[in-house]
Amino acid sequence: MTQQDEIRQDQAQLEAVVAEALEIAKGLGASLAEVSISKQTGLSVNTRGCELESIEFNKDGALGIAVYRNGCKGSSSTTDLSQSAIRAAVEAAIEIARHTSADDCAGLADPELLAWDAPDLQLCHPIELDPQRGIALAIECERLSLNRDSRIKHSDGAGFSSHLGIKVYGNSHGFVKGYAASRNSLSCMLIGEQDGDMQRDYGYSSSRDLAGLWSPQRIADEAVERTLARLGARKITTRHAPVLFHPDTAAGLWGHLVMAISGGNLYRKSSFLQGRLGEQILPAWLRIQEFPHLLGGLASSPFDGEGVRTQDRDIIRDGSLMSWLLTSYSARKLGLTTTGHAGGIHNWQVSNTGQNFLGLLKEMGTGLLVTELMGQGVNIVNGDYSRGAAGFWVENGEIAYPVEEITIAGNLNDMYRQIVAVGTDEDERSSLKTGSVLIENMKLAGH
């Protein structure tokens, strides 16, 4: 039997367990029920100083069930998938439902929205869990990194991981479906020193298919170059200046947008974009699209956490906000229909203005290139933004020197409107594809 056959067999067994749990819930009087189950196996290897530090194998699974009786919801979970344990979990959920208040918005997704014909998105690329291969790859990353430059003094560790998971969701509409997905990663963290200044940075790769991982040489090169570039970092004085967010940090800017248009924040009236659907909130040339069905995509999914079919959609079109991100519950609270976002977003693609990274530096002229952000100083309620930052000071379109211990501040409403350009320099490792983002003006607090 091949690995793929074994995975299909495991998935069929989990689907049978879910169906059984739903039958038990129905037999015990639940008018509606939904069950989700996950099973994961994997390997993690860590090395330090080109020597093995740890190996960890994991094999775990869990079942969660929610039942609904007269609008009252009860939930329970178990890691024991025996019939008796599942029955006990269902009984516990029904008992909890007896003590909860009725909520008209609670319940399953509408049956016509479910992914009855869920596509195969080729998310599963199984490999044999061979620790020796993982050890060799991690040590090779460290070895190549430490031999590159005398200023690289130490490795802060390298790691390889490979995991495969199966998810199954079912509900009492008769929907029971699952899919398997794999993920592999390889990374290396380095410490550099020059004239008493020590800095740390890393390189990494992530892919569903082992063959899609970057080579140890490429990861080592990235880790060395990023670490060396940070040496000799200076402070700058307080001022206003343009800010260019490197793709590493630009993804975070769009992450704040995700939070602001998510149903939970909207129905609680705790978003700075409350009531802005259909309004222009970004430059007219900017578009953000979602593609849940990209084959092998890191955030691809045939259906969301409620079984709702996922579909391509415009989030931003011509700078205008076209869609909220809703679950069944938040949609009902808002009098709308779920958008299939129970569990998060799926493969966002941000449009660009055609410049590469060097072109964006030239367009900025003089300002701050942000490569690292620290702290959680973002208020989604009013859009206020204040975070610690490090990166590079740019003069006349060229990187002049590294900088650190800076705070950048603004308001997301203004920051989104003041986006001047988005580059073509997307990070292939991210499920949120964006190039560097240039913002016209922000406050920089230095010394």
Side-chain angles (χ1 to χ4, degrees), residues 160-210:
F160 169 81
S161 69
S162 181
H163 290 86
L164 188 147
I166 302 173
K167 295 181 180 179
V168 175
Y169 171 84
N171 62 34
S172 47
H173 291 320
F175 180 90
V176 178
K177 288 191 181 294
Y179 62 92
S182 57
R183 186 175 293 241
N184 305 279
S185 67
L186 182 62
S187 62
C188 183
M189 175 80 75
L190 303 177
I191 299 172
E193 184 178 358
Q194 178 178 278
D195 301 328
D197 175 36
M198 297 183 71
Q199 298 285 349
R200 176 188 282 111
D201 218 315
Y202 65 95
Y204 81 99
S205 180
S206 181
S207 175
R208 292 203 180 277
D209 188 347
L210 183 67

Side-chain angles (χ1 to χ4, degrees), residues 67-251:
V67 299
Y68 302 89
R69 298 184 63 180
N70 303 317
C72 301
K73 178 182 178 180
S75 300
S76 180
S77 63
T78 177
T79 56
D80 183 346
L81 302 184
S82 66
Q83 187 176 38
S84 59
I86 293 169
R87 185 176 188 86
V90 175
E91 290 172 343
I94 289 176
E95 179 62 25
I96 291 168
R98 293 194 178 100
H99 302 282
T100 59
S101 301
D103 186 339
D104 292 340
C105 296
L108 309 180
D110 296 338
E112 64 271 16
L113 300 177
L114 300 179
W116 298 102
D117 296 315
D120 178 2
L121 301 180
Q122 299 175 25
L123 306 181
C124 182
H125 301 271
I127 62 171
E128 293 292 341
L129 294 181
D130 178 5
Q132 293 305 317
R133 173 173 49 201
I135 294 167
L137 286 169
I139 288 177
E140 183 72 353
C141 274
E142 287 194 289
R143 186 186 65 78
L144 291 167
S145 299
L146 293 169
N147 290 337
R148 266 280 303 275
D149 192 290
S150 61
R151 292 170 292 175
I152 299 296
K153 299 297 184 183
H154 306 285
S155 164
D156 204 23
F160 169 81
S161 69
S162 181
H163 290 86
L164 188 147
I166 302 173
K167 295 181 180 179
V168 175
Y169 171 84
N171 62 34
S172 47
H173 291 320
F175 180 90
V176 178
K177 288 191 181 294
Y179 62 92
S182 57
R183 186 175 293 241
N184 305 279
S185 67
L186 182 62
S187 62
C188 183
M189 175 80 75
L190 303 177
I191 299 172
E193 184 178 358
Q194 178 178 278
D195 301 328
D197 175 36
M198 297 183 71
Q199 298 285 349
R200 176 188 282 111
D201 218 315
Y202 65 95
Y204 81 99
S205 180
S206 181
S207 175
R208 292 203 180 277
D209 188 347
L210 183 67
L213 281 183
W214 288 5
S215 68
Q217 182 69 65
R218 187 174 178 185
I219 294 169
D221 289 346
E222 180 183 55
V224 169
E225 288 161 12
R226 289 173 62 134
T227 303
L228 294 180
R230 295 171 67 108
L231 292 171
R234 311 180 197 175
K235 300 177 183 179
I236 60 172
T237 56
T238 297
R239 66 188 77 183
H240 283 81
V243 173
L244 179 61
F245 288 83
H246 187 271
D248 290 353
T249 54

Side-chain angles (χ1 to χ4, degrees), residues 346-419:
H346 314 282
N347 301 319
W348 275 23
Q349 177 67 61
V350 181
S351 65
N352 63 70
T353 45
Q355 304 96 319
N356 62 16
F357 177 67
L358 294 178
L360 287 178
L361 290 179
K362 287 182 169 56
E363 180 158 344
M364 178 167 69
T366 296
L368 177 66
L369 167 62
V370 175
T371 58
E372 182 180 8
L373 289 165
M374 293 149 275
Q376 303 296 321
V378 181
N379 188 327
I380 294 298
V381 178
N382 61 19
D384 284 346
Y385 183 100
S386 177
R387 299 191 68 185
F392 301 88
W393 188 248
V394 177
E395 292 181 354
N396 299 318
E398 295 186 356
I399 292 175
Y401 50 83
V403 291
E404 61 185 3
E405 297 182 25
I406 304 164
T407 299
I408 57 174
N411 184 278
L412 286 167
N413 278 305
D414 301 327
M415 291 163 64
Y416 287 153
R417 281 195 299 266
Q418 291 182 27
I419 293 176

